[in-house]
Amino acid sequence: MNRFTASADETVKLGEELGKQLGPGSFIAVYGDLGAGKTQFARGVAAGLGVDRTQPITSPTYTLVNEYQGRLPFYHFDLYRLHDHYDVVELGFEEYFYGQGVCLVEWAERITDTLPALRLDITISRSGENARRFEFQPFGSLYESILKKCFDHHGDS
């Protein structure tokens, strides 16, 4: 399932639509090059989860995880600096991955061996200066249902 956005604002709105549908234990693995829009999308997910809009949602490149409180805890990971899945185990991130909050992991390709089997993969790529292409790949019927609820009114591409 693919979606396209034409601006950073549209990318945030797309994330917000998804965030509204997420429940406890949701896991989102995000893939994309530097500057693809991963953090903009995460801002939208945070908004959809009810995180205070005045709270800055930034990429946790150096801290690896930022925690926010909305209707559910939101854990935003940036694993750009990790070398492999052993770092995730060593740092105790699996506790987050299988908890009751919502996890969004940027640079998920760094930890493919550690990703939960049930999750939503999102690949973001540039399709113009400000335009982005989002490819959604659900793993599990829960994520298929979430995407259906989220995007039914848009039609599928």
Side-chain angles (χ1 to χ4, degrees), residues 21-28 49 72-73 75 96-97 99-104 116 118-120 142-143 146:
Q21 301 300 324
L22 298 174
S26 294
F27 192 97
I28 313 297
L49 288 168
L72 295 167
Y75 306 116
Y96 290 98
F97 292 0
Q100 292 303 300
V102 171
C103 289
L104 183 144
L118 301 177
R119 66 182 188 274
L120 177 61
L142 170 66
Y143 294 100
I146 287 170

Side-chain angles (χ1 to χ4, degrees), residues 41-82:
F41 185 77
R43 284 187 182 113
V45 171
L49 288 168
V51 173
D52 182 347
R53 288 181 185 269
T54 63
Q55 185 169 7
I57 306 299
T58 58
S59 187
T61 303
Y62 295 98
T63 58
L64 303 178
V65 63
N66 285 338
E67 299 182 24
Y68 305 95
Q69 190 58 53
R71 65 179 168 80
L72 295 167
F74 177 50
Y75 306 116
H76 178 202
F77 291 84
D78 181 331
L79 304 184
Y80 182 74
R81 297 190 160 286
L82 291 190

